[in-house]
Amino acid sequence: MNVIAIIGARLNSSRLPGKHLLPLAGKPIIEHIQNRLEHCQTLTDIVLATTLDEFNQPLINWANNNSQCLAYSGDVNDLMGRINAVVEQYQADIVVYICGDCPLIDPGFIDHAVNQLRQNPQADSISLAPDVRSIHEGMAFYTRQGWDNLFVNSVSDMEKEHVGYANQRCHCLTPLLIQDSDDFSGVEHRISVDTDADYRFMQQIYQRWYAQNSSAPIVPLKWVVDTLKQEVSLRQINGHVKQKKADQQYPSVSLYCAYRAADDALYQLSVKLGAALQEHYGLGTQLHVLTTDELQATRSQNCQTYGNEQAFLSALTHDAKQLTLCLLPMLLQQQVEQLKHVLSGNNSLAIELFDAKEHSTSSHSIAFKWLNNGATQATAQDVVIDELTLEQLAKLITSLL
């Protein structure tokens, strides 16, 4: 019986680009997932399913050296199509889908679920029983018949992009309700890496374990659960992160700023604001930076740099996103003022932030004003913010969307 574990991953995540190759304890996240699957006793093959495009070439290169890989040439958003290509090529009898951003999948649970499916041929998928509380994330289990039913019923864009989503509409699967393989209850917490805060949390988990267990092959999920029960500070690292819902469309945000020095307050604020919008509200952010200096790397936003003001302002003028924020020094305020009619005419929201030394002696104080949908100056407002009120600014922005 062919039991194929298929890891779904691609690098162009809207909230944490390139996350699968970010390092944990010296190895990329995707490699830790691979190692954990190699500890399973029931799997016959482990395959990475990604997309055949230039953006994902680094992931393909990693897989070519470490794993079996199928690079799908179809629609980059068709996750069901990518997985199905693997299912057909490897003639899978049981499909184990693994989300490529969860480096704490438990090998024992995977074996447990596969064996339960083998022993109960009347079922075609696995679900935890209603009375079971568990920290597990990032896995799904199907017989070949169950997978084929799910695939043929995945007809909408949303159903093609999210594994299992079609079953919510048509109930095409017969699930087997099972108990957990161990006690992974007692704490509810994210163990997937989708934002910078999630990554910082996972770094702490891996660092703590390997500081005391340098030769251990994997981080035990049971230890993670016990540690989270005891340490509130660990849970607080990413406890605020909002899980994106598959059936909800989230607005995307463009942040424009000028980068003048490593400690530039406006640039640092744009990075923090982008992270807050992503983690608290599920918004994708794109950072646009005017700079002639070498840019500090940021994990949490897609970033585009511009070497001159003309290119920078042209990108701002033609930006079609629902929300545009301009975090700029005073020297660019006059140019942006001339673009306001263009921005408001595109039914967008423009927010300008600038140094506000007249309001505060703090170098981190920023004043901002917003103009919404061609609103008159009478509706504009000036506010002074600092790091302590960053969350208030994020709430204001999302309330205007």
Side-chain angles (χ1 to χ4, degrees), residues 4 22 25 46 51 78 83 112 117 121 137 139 147 158 163 176 194 242 270 283 298 302-303 308 335 399:
I4 313 300
L22 292 175
I46 303 167
T51 55
D78 186 5
I83 298 172
H112 169 64
L117 207 51
E137 287 183 17
M139 298 172 286
W147 173 261
M158 190 69 66
V163 173
L176 174 66
D194 197 37
K242 177 180 179 179
S270 69
L283 308 181
T298 173
N302 292 295
C303 185
N308 61 78
Q335 291 94 318
S399 70

Side-chain angles (χ1 to χ4, degrees), residues 41-42 78 88 104 124 133 150 162 180 182 267 302 324 334 363 366 392:
Q41 303 299 310
T42 56
D78 186 5
E88 292 185 344
L104 290 175
D124 53 23
R133 296 292 177 265
L150 184 64
H162 299 278
D180 212 335
D182 202 335
Y267 173 72
N302 292 295
T324 303
Q334 183 175 355
S363 61
I366 304 294
Q392 296 176 1

Side-chain angles (χ1 to χ4, degrees), residues 215-227:
S215 61
I218 64 173
V219 178
L221 183 58
K222 183 72 171 173
W223 172 83
V224 173
V225 171
D226 292 341
T227 302

Side-chain angles (χ1 to χ4, degrees), residues 15 44 49 71 75 117 127 214 245 263 267 272 281 343:
R15 295 205 286 179
T44 53
D75 187 340
L117 207 51
S127 294
S214 58
K245 298 178 181 178
D263 60 348
Y267 173 72
K272 292 177 182 178
Y281 305 100
L343 295 170

Side-chain angles (χ1 to χ4, degrees), residues 3-7 37 43 80 83 94-99 105 109-110 113-114 117 124-128 136-143 147 150 162-165 173:
V3 182
I4 313 300
I6 305 172
I7 308 170
L37 291 172
L43 303 179
M80 291 293 293
I83 298 172
I94 292 180
V95 178
V96 180
Y97 170 65
I98 303 295
C99 188
I105 52 172
F109 177 77
I110 293 172
V114 169
L117 207 51
D124 53 23
S125 64
I126 290 288
S127 294
L128 287 173
H136 295 304
E137 287 183 17
M139 298 172 286
F141 304 84
Y142 309 97
T143 64
W147 173 261
L150 184 64
H162 299 278
V163 173
Y165 190 73
L173 298 174

Side-chain angles (χ1 to χ4, degrees), residues 149-167:
N149 287 340
L150 184 64
F151 180 71
V152 75
N153 281 284
S154 297
V155 293
S156 70
D157 290 343
M158 190 69 66
E159 291 166 350
K160 292 178 181 179
E161 188 176 355
H162 299 278
V163 173
Y165 190 73
N167 188 55

Side-chain angles (χ1 to χ4, degrees), residues 206-348:
Y206 269 74
Q207 288 171 4
R208 290 185 183 213
W209 171 255
Y210 283 113
Q212 302 296 326
N213 305 273
S214 58
S215 61
I218 64 173
V219 178
L221 183 58
K222 183 72 171 173
W223 172 83
V224 173
V225 171
D226 292 341
T227 302
L228 289 175
K229 288 179 182 178
Q230 300 169 17
E231 299 193 34
V232 176
S233 60
L234 267 179
R235 304 199 301 269
Q236 289 176 336
I237 295 175
N238 65 333
H240 63 280
V241 174
K242 177 180 179 179
Q243 179 63 42
K244 297 179 73 173
K245 298 178 181 178
D247 60 350
Q248 183 173 346
Q249 293 295 322
Y250 291 85
S252 54
V253 180
S254 291
L255 299 102
Y256 287 81
C257 70
Y259 180 81
R260 296 171 295 181
D263 60 348
D264 188 284
L266 290 167
Y267 173 72
Q268 298 298 332
L269 178 65
S270 69
V271 173
K272 292 177 182 178
L273 180 58
L277 291 171
Q278 292 178 139
E279 294 171 5
H280 289 271
Y281 305 100
L283 308 181
T285 61
Q286 172 77 46
L287 188 59
H288 298 264
V289 185
L290 173 63
T291 181
T292 56
D293 199 0
E294 183 176 350
L295 184 64
Q296 288 183 322
T298 173
R299 290 189 299 263
S300 57
Q301 282 107 32
N302 292 295
C303 185
Q304 175 68 48
T305 60
Y306 305 86
N308 61 78
E309 291 182 13
Q310 183 177 356
F312 178 77
L313 294 173
S314 176
L316 173 60
T317 305
H318 296 96
D319 197 308
K321 289 189 172 60
Q322 183 175 350
L323 176 61
T324 303
L325 297 100
C326 306
L327 300 90
L328 302 172
M330 291 299 292
L331 62 93
L332 285 177
Q333 286 301 302
Q334 183 175 355
Q335 291 94 318
V336 173
E337 286 286 332
Q338 297 171 0
L339 297 175
K340 274 187 177 180
H341 70 284
V342 177
L343 295 170
S344 59
N346 288 339
N347 197 38
S348 64

Side-chain angles (χ1 to χ4, degrees), residues 18-128:
K19 61 184 178 181
H20 307 291
L21 295 179
L22 292 175
L24 292 174
K27 298 178 182 179
I29 287 174
I30 194 71
E31 188 165 335
H32 286 290
I33 295 173
Q34 169 91 6
N35 290 345
R36 298 176 80 86
L37 291 172
E38 289 173 348
H39 279 75
C40 296
Q41 303 299 310
T42 56
L43 303 179
T44 53
D45 287 284
I46 303 167
V47 184
L48 173 68
T50 189
T51 55
L52 186 61
D53 60 295
E54 183 178 355
F55 197 89
N56 285 292
Q57 191 59 50
L59 189 58
I60 296 171
N61 293 343
W62 173 87
N64 288 337
N65 294 322
N66 297 274
S67 177
Q68 300 179 76
C69 178
L70 189 148
Y72 185 62
S73 59
D75 187 340
V76 296
N77 295 314
D78 186 5
L79 177 56
M80 291 293 293
R82 297 206 303 274
I83 298 172
N84 192 63
V86 178
V87 170
E88 292 185 344
Q89 179 173 320
Y90 285 80
Q91 290 298 296
D93 297 303
I94 292 180
V95 178
V96 180
Y97 170 65
I98 303 295
C99 188
D101 59 10
C102 190
L104 290 175
I105 52 172
D106 185 69
F109 177 77
I110 293 172
D111 286 339
H112 169 64
V114 169
N115 284 328
Q116 291 289 305
L117 207 51
R118 281 172 167 170
Q119 296 164 16
N120 294 273
Q122 78 282 3
D124 53 23
S125 64
I126 290 288
S127 294
L128 287 173

